Amino acid sequence: MADPIREFQADRIKLLTFIEQNQRLFDKFFDLADQYNGSLVEAKQHVRDHEPDGPVTLGPFRRSKSNPTVTYVPGLVPASVLGMPGVVKSIDTAALEVLVRAGAVNESEVEGARMEKAKTPSVSGPKEVVVKL
């Protein structure tokens, strides 16, 4: 059975060796990519700031219409409204756990609503090589 870690390390060495053997080409490529990415950020900001408000197309860039959004401050909404179905979609689990541990909320009050979910462990390592335009 193949060892995916060893295969990755071998492929990584091949890629780094190829880059090293073609250093001038990759130096130029990275310079051009940095220049491209910088002008991309500036162009997007130009389109974002373009007057008048509303949708606009400038070259390959499109800006959608921006509608204002409404938010409510939870502490200012009456508890009777927060208790209505559909108003509260999620619970700040960390804050509720702190309140339970501190004794401010009786655990038996929330026991029926408490569920444990299995988590997938995160894996960190080298980043993916991506080249796309």
Side-chain angles (χ1 to χ4, degrees):
M1 184 168 157
D3 179 353
I5 303 301
R6 286 191 184 167
E7 285 183 25
F8 164 77
Q9 290 172 323
D11 290 341
R12 183 173 187 267
I13 289 170
K14 289 177 196 173
L15 179 63
L16 292 174
T17 301
F18 181 79
I19 291 172
E20 187 178 300
Q21 291 171 346
N22 296 280
Q23 192 64 50
R24 285 189 12 212
L25 171 71
F26 279 92
D27 286 345
K28 182 64 175 176
F29 174 79
F30 293 134
D31 286 344
L32 289 170
D34 284 343
Q35 183 179 348
Y36 172 90
N37 290 334
S39 64
L40 176 65
V41 169
E42 289 179 21
K44 282 183 171 182
Q45 189 61 49
H46 175 75
V47 173
R48 189 173 287 115
D49 296 339
H50 186 75
E51 293 291 335
D53 290 340
V56 67
T57 299
L58 298 171
F61 299 93
R62 289 175 303 287
R63 181 184 69 194
S64 62
K65 180 180 178 186
S66 178
N67 295 319
T69 58
V70 175
T71 59
Y72 294 94
V73 180
L76 301 178
V77 176
S80 60
V81 173
L82 293 175
M84 296 174 125
V87 173
V88 177
K89 293 181 183 176
S90 65
I91 294 173
D92 186 337
T93 302
L96 185 55
E97 287 288 315
V98 168
L99 292 170
V100 169
R101 275 189 243 110
V105 172
N106 188 335
E107 189 172 359
S108 64
E109 291 180 90
V110 294
E111 189 174 24
R114 189 174 192 277
M115 297 178 358
E116 287 193 19
K117 289 193 327 187
K119 290 179 70 177
T120 302
S122 63
V123 176
S124 61
K127 301 298 180 204
E128 179 182 16
V129 174
V130 177
V131 178
K132 61 182 176 178
L133 296 176

